[in-house]
Amino acid sequence: MSSALFSAFRLRQLALANRIVVSPMCQYSAVEGCATDWHLAHWTQLLQSGAGMFTIEATAVSAIGRITHGCLGLYDDACEEAIARRLAIARGNAPPIPVAVQLAHAGRKGSSKVPWEGGQPIPVEQGGWTPVAPSPLAQLPDERPPAALDSAGIAQIKKEFVAAAERAARLDLDALELHCAHGYLLHEFLSPISNRRHDAYGGALEHRVRLPLEVFAAVREVWPEGKPMGVRISATDWVDGGWTIDDSIAFVERLKAAGCDWIDTSSGGISPAQKIPLGPGYQVHLSRQIRRAASIATIAVGLITDAKQAEAIVASGDADLVAMARAMLWDPRWPWHAAATLGAQVHVPPQYWRSAPREAAKVIVNAKLGMR
Ligand SMILES: Cc1cc2nc3c(=O)[nH]c(=O)nc-3n(C[C@H](O)[C@H](O)[C@H](O)COP(=O)(O)O)c2cc1C
């Protein structure tokens, strides 16, 4: 049996052993932006998952670009060193799986409590900060508005993304994803709901895509040529008068021309008025439309939980890759089990080669054991 999900894939010079991507997942466990031993444990576990690529969580390009005080950052030497040290250990204890990082700026969603403390905004007087955004419009009507970025502020944002990408390159990360989704800063520039500017960065679609495209181009310039770079978008705001799939296609065509290697097709996050039709694979049709219209590699994400479902998404051409978040936390060996279901194989650390049950005896690549 030959599986589409477990077939190899290439992004520039990067080889992926299969089509399963561990989706970026904030852990809210950093201190002053620095990775902790929680990250060491989390990364090690997911690098042993058998996935084709692992994505490090939304990683802030500045301290005020964090969502919470617990968000990971890549904006100073301490942040860089904290990732370097722990990632080296995690990589040293797992098969060689490509590691991507998602670079992000939280925009108006910054200065929030961590989810398990309620996620509410933290005012400046209580140790928070004033978040920045394209326009002084709060996410919710009863919240304090963010500060609108002026042209010096916009120039600064670009520099911060570039500096973080240079650090990511020094960390020898394999791929870079720009976070333009979920109502964070770059999505806030794209969406007419959050962007009410009247300058070159607001108004018509051509203006609203300007900052994300400028950031993409500036980062691509410093990110090593042979390494791939993609973008996560919210392909629709799911709100009347918001960003649409047609806007996404227009944006993706420009990204592709600028050298974008994949579109990670998520949705929503800009407004509490959104109406998301949740269900298995609820965003796959967005991936399909973008892949067909723009002829670019796509990642489908969102309630993909079952091996045969994931196989069908790749086999039918709805996406090149599937990303999984919650199902990977629930079952960090999901790819091992999917490989067993689909008659495929995964790379597994030799310490665990004896794990495969009789009915999945062939699931582990190169497993051979001898004892006296
Ligand atoms: C704990 C957790 C943290 C997340 N953090 C991020 C993140 O850092 N960046 C991002 O783009 N999406 C983030 N997401 C969204 C996931 O990457 C994914 O798109 C979403 O959960 C839908 O996929 P799923 O149904 O497989 O969970 C997060 C989701 C979860 C559950």
PDB file of all heavy atoms in Angstrom, residues 144-161:
ATOM      1  N   ARG A 144      -9.374  48.800  26.122  1.00  0.00           N
ATOM      2  CA  ARG A 144      -8.635  50.014  25.772  1.00  0.00           C
ATOM      3  C   ARG A 144      -8.057  49.880  24.367  1.00  0.00           C
ATOM      4  O   ARG A 144      -7.528  48.818  24.024  1.00  0.00           O
ATOM      5  CB  ARG A 144      -7.466  50.220  26.738  1.00  0.00           C
ATOM      6  CG  ARG A 144      -7.911  50.694  28.091  1.00  0.00           C
ATOM      7  CD  ARG A 144      -6.675  51.110  28.876  1.00  0.00           C
ATOM      8  NE  ARG A 144      -6.950  50.933  30.291  1.00  0.00           N
ATOM      9  CZ  ARG A 144      -6.046  51.046  31.244  1.00  0.00           C
ATOM     10  NH1 ARG A 144      -4.787  51.322  30.950  1.00  0.00           N
ATOM     11  NH2 ARG A 144      -6.379  50.885  32.499  1.00  0.00           N
ATOM     12  N   PRO A 145      -8.120  50.930  23.566  1.00  0.00           N
ATOM     13  CA  PRO A 145      -7.598  50.806  22.194  1.00  0.00           C
ATOM     14  C   PRO A 145      -6.080  50.700  22.171  1.00  0.00           C
ATOM     15  O   PRO A 145      -5.402  51.237  23.047  1.00  0.00           O
ATOM     16  CB  PRO A 145      -8.067  52.089  21.511  1.00  0.00           C
ATOM     17  CG  PRO A 145      -8.413  53.023  22.605  1.00  0.00           C
ATOM     18  CD  PRO A 145      -8.713  52.230  23.836  1.00  0.00           C
ATOM     19  N   PRO A 146      -5.554  50.013  21.162  1.00  0.00           N
ATOM     20  CA  PRO A 146      -4.095  49.971  20.984  1.00  0.00           C
ATOM     21  C   PRO A 146      -3.604  51.295  20.416  1.00  0.00           C
ATOM     22  O   PRO A 146      -4.406  52.118  19.973  1.00  0.00           O
ATOM     23  CB  PRO A 146      -3.915  48.857  19.943  1.00  0.00           C
ATOM     24  CG  PRO A 146      -5.192  48.882  19.148  1.00  0.00           C
ATOM     25  CD  PRO A 146      -6.275  49.298  20.101  1.00  0.00           C
ATOM     26  N   ALA A 147      -2.280  51.499  20.430  1.00  0.00           N
ATOM     27  CA  ALA A 147      -1.690  52.693  19.799  1.00  0.00           C
ATOM     28  C   ALA A 147      -1.509  52.411  18.309  1.00  0.00           C
ATOM     29  O   ALA A 147      -1.019  51.352  17.927  1.00  0.00           O
ATOM     30  CB  ALA A 147      -0.344  52.987  20.445  1.00  0.00           C
ATOM     31  N   ALA A 148      -1.928  53.380  17.478  1.00  0.00           N
ATOM     32  CA  ALA A 148      -1.753  53.209  16.024  1.00  0.00           C
ATOM     33  C   ALA A 148      -0.287  53.429  15.678  1.00  0.00           C
ATOM     34  O   ALA A 148       0.345  54.381  16.163  1.00  0.00           O
ATOM     35  CB  ALA A 148      -2.632  54.191  15.273  1.00  0.00           C
ATOM     36  N   LEU A 149       0.260  52.568  14.840  1.00  0.00           N
ATOM     37  CA  LEU A 149       1.671  52.713  14.441  1.00  0.00           C
ATOM     38  C   LEU A 149       1.823  53.890  13.483  1.00  0.00           C
ATOM     39  O   LEU A 149       1.040  54.029  12.533  1.00  0.00           O
ATOM     40  CB  LEU A 149       2.138  51.430  13.744  1.00  0.00           C
ATOM     41  CG  LEU A 149       2.395  50.229  14.657  1.00  0.00           C
ATOM     42  CD1 LEU A 149       2.420  48.928  13.848  1.00  0.00           C
ATOM     43  CD2 LEU A 149       3.710  50.409  15.415  1.00  0.00           C
ATOM     44  N   ASP A 150       2.839  54.714  13.717  1.00  0.00           N
ATOM     45  CA  ASP A 150       3.166  55.758  12.737  1.00  0.00           C
ATOM     46  C   ASP A 150       4.242  55.208  11.796  1.00  0.00           C
ATOM     47  O   ASP A 150       4.632  54.036  11.904  1.00  0.00           O
ATOM     48  CB  ASP A 150       3.610  57.055  13.444  1.00  0.00           C
ATOM     49  CG  ASP A 150       4.832  56.844  14.323  1.00  0.00           C
ATOM     50  OD1 ASP A 150       5.502  55.790  14.176  1.00  0.00           O
ATOM     51  OD2 ASP A 150       5.121  57.719  15.158  1.00  0.00           O
ATOM     52  N   SER A 151       4.735  56.030  10.870  1.00  0.00           N
ATOM     53  CA  SER A 151       5.646  55.448   9.874  1.00  0.00           C
ATOM     54  C   SER A 151       6.958  54.986  10.501  1.00  0.00           C
ATOM     55  O   SER A 151       7.532  53.977  10.073  1.00  0.00           O
ATOM     56  CB  SER A 151       5.871  56.382   8.692  1.00  0.00           C
ATOM     57  OG  SER A 151       6.166  57.649   9.157  1.00  0.00           O
ATOM     58  N   ALA A 152       7.404  55.678  11.558  1.00  0.00           N
ATOM     59  CA  ALA A 152       8.626  55.211  12.239  1.00  0.00           C
ATOM     60  C   ALA A 152       8.354  53.865  12.919  1.00  0.00           C
ATOM     61  O   ALA A 152       9.207  52.957  12.913  1.00  0.00           O
ATOM     62  CB  ALA A 152       9.079  56.236  13.277  1.00  0.00           C
ATOM     63  N   GLY A 153       7.158  53.719  13.476  1.00  0.00           N
ATOM     64  CA  GLY A 153       6.780  52.459  14.129  1.00  0.00           C
ATOM     65  C   GLY A 153       6.724  51.316  13.123  1.00  0.00           C
ATOM     66  O   GLY A 153       7.147  50.194  13.419  1.00  0.00           O
ATOM     67  N   ILE A 154       6.220  51.595  11.937  1.00  0.00           N
ATOM     68  CA  ILE A 154       6.146  50.562  10.893  1.00  0.00           C
ATOM     69  C   ILE A 154       7.556  50.144  10.457  1.00  0.00           C
ATOM     70  O   ILE A 154       7.850  48.954  10.301  1.00  0.00           O
ATOM     71  CB  ILE A 154       5.295  51.072   9.700  1.00  0.00           C
ATOM     72  CG1 ILE A 154       3.818  51.063  10.114  1.00  0.00           C
ATOM     73  CG2 ILE A 154       5.524  50.233   8.442  1.00  0.00           C
ATOM     74  CD1 ILE A 154       2.856  51.571   9.064  1.00  0.00           C
ATOM     75  N   ALA A 155       8.432  51.133  10.299  1.00  0.00           N
ATOM     76  CA  ALA A 155       9.819  50.823   9.911  1.00  0.00           C
ATOM     77  C   ALA A 155      10.475  49.946  10.982  1.00  0.00           C
ATOM     78  O   ALA A 155      11.220  49.005  10.683  1.00  0.00           O
ATOM     79  CB  ALA A 155      10.604  52.115   9.708  1.00  0.00           C
ATOM     80  N   GLN A 156      10.176  50.263  12.245  1.00  0.00           N
ATOM     81  CA  GLN A 156      10.728  49.499  13.366  1.00  0.00           C
ATOM     82  C   GLN A 156      10.245  48.044  13.333  1.00  0.00           C
ATOM     83  O   GLN A 156      11.032  47.111  13.535  1.00  0.00           O
ATOM     84  CB  GLN A 156      10.299  50.208  14.670  1.00  0.00           C
ATOM     85  CG  GLN A 156      10.661  49.506  15.964  1.00  0.00           C
ATOM     86  CD  GLN A 156      12.170  49.498  16.208  1.00  0.00           C
ATOM     87  OE1 GLN A 156      12.902  50.293  15.604  1.00  0.00           O
ATOM     88  NE2 GLN A 156      12.619  48.593  17.061  1.00  0.00           N
ATOM     89  N   ILE A 157       8.959  47.843  13.042  1.00  0.00           N
ATOM     90  CA  ILE A 157       8.400  46.475  12.967  1.00  0.00           C
ATOM     91  C   ILE A 157       9.179  45.670  11.914  1.00  0.00           C
ATOM     92  O   ILE A 157       9.561  44.517  12.144  1.00  0.00           O
ATOM     93  CB  ILE A 157       6.893  46.516  12.574  1.00  0.00           C
ATOM     94  CG1 ILE A 157       6.059  47.239  13.626  1.00  0.00           C
ATOM     95  CG2 ILE A 157       6.351  45.118  12.268  1.00  0.00           C
ATOM     96  CD1 ILE A 157       5.792  46.496  14.901  1.00  0.00           C
ATOM     97  N   LYS A 158       9.423  46.281  10.765  1.00  0.00           N
ATOM     98  CA  LYS A 158      10.148  45.552   9.704  1.00  0.00           C
ATOM     99  C   LYS A 158      11.541  45.154  10.185  1.00  0.00           C
ATOM    100  O   LYS A 158      11.988  44.031   9.983  1.00  0.00           O
ATOM    101  CB  LYS A 158      10.247  46.423   8.439  1.00  0.00           C
ATOM    102  CG  LYS A 158       8.935  46.464   7.671  1.00  0.00           C
ATOM    103  CD  LYS A 158       9.092  47.124   6.326  1.00  0.00           C
ATOM    104  CE  LYS A 158       8.718  48.579   6.413  1.00  0.00           C
ATOM    105  NZ  LYS A 158       8.806  49.304   5.151  1.00  0.00           N
ATOM    106  N   LYS A 159      12.212  46.106  10.851  1.00  0.00           N
ATOM    107  CA  LYS A 159      13.567  45.806  11.363  1.00  0.00           C
ATOM    108  C   LYS A 159      13.528  44.657  12.359  1.00  0.00           C
ATOM    109  O   LYS A 159      14.428  43.813  12.394  1.00  0.00           O
ATOM    110  CB  LYS A 159      14.136  47.043  12.086  1.00  0.00           C
ATOM    111  CG  LYS A 159      14.739  48.051  11.151  1.00  0.00           C
ATOM    112  CD  LYS A 159      15.560  49.042  11.968  1.00  0.00           C
ATOM    113  CE  LYS A 159      15.825  50.276  11.123  1.00  0.00           C
ATOM    114  NZ  LYS A 159      15.795  51.509  11.854  1.00  0.00           N
ATOM    115  N   GLU A 160      12.485  44.631  13.194  1.00  0.00           N
ATOM    116  CA  GLU A 160      12.395  43.580  14.215  1.00  0.00           C
ATOM    117  C   GLU A 160      12.204  42.199  13.569  1.00  0.00           C
ATOM    118  O   GLU A 160      12.807  41.215  14.005  1.00  0.00           O
ATOM    119  CB  GLU A 160      11.243  43.884  15.183  1.00  0.00           C
ATOM    120  CG  GLU A 160      11.558  45.073  16.088  1.00  0.00           C
ATOM    121  CD  GLU A 160      10.352  45.623  16.830  1.00  0.00           C
ATOM    122  OE1 GLU A 160       9.208  45.205  16.558  1.00  0.00           O
ATOM    123  OE2 GLU A 160      10.545  46.514  17.684  1.00  0.00           O
ATOM    124  N   PHE A 161      11.364  42.129  12.540  1.00  0.00           N
ATOM    125  CA  PHE A 161      11.187  40.842  11.856  1.00  0.00           C
ATOM    126  C   PHE A 161      12.505  40.390  11.230  1.00  0.00           C
ATOM    127  O   PHE A 161      12.870  39.210  11.301  1.00  0.00           O
ATOM    128  CB  PHE A 161      10.080  40.932  10.788  1.00  0.00           C
ATOM    129  CG  PHE A 161       8.703  40.616  11.327  1.00  0.00           C
ATOM    130  CD1 PHE A 161       7.822  41.632  11.683  1.00  0.00           C
ATOM    131  CD2 PHE A 161       8.285  39.302  11.479  1.00  0.00           C
ATOM    132  CE1 PHE A 161       6.554  41.338  12.190  1.00  0.00           C
ATOM    133  CE2 PHE A 161       7.022  38.997  11.982  1.00  0.00           C
ATOM    134  CZ  PHE A 161       6.152  40.019  12.339  1.00  0.00           C
TER     135      PHE A 161
END
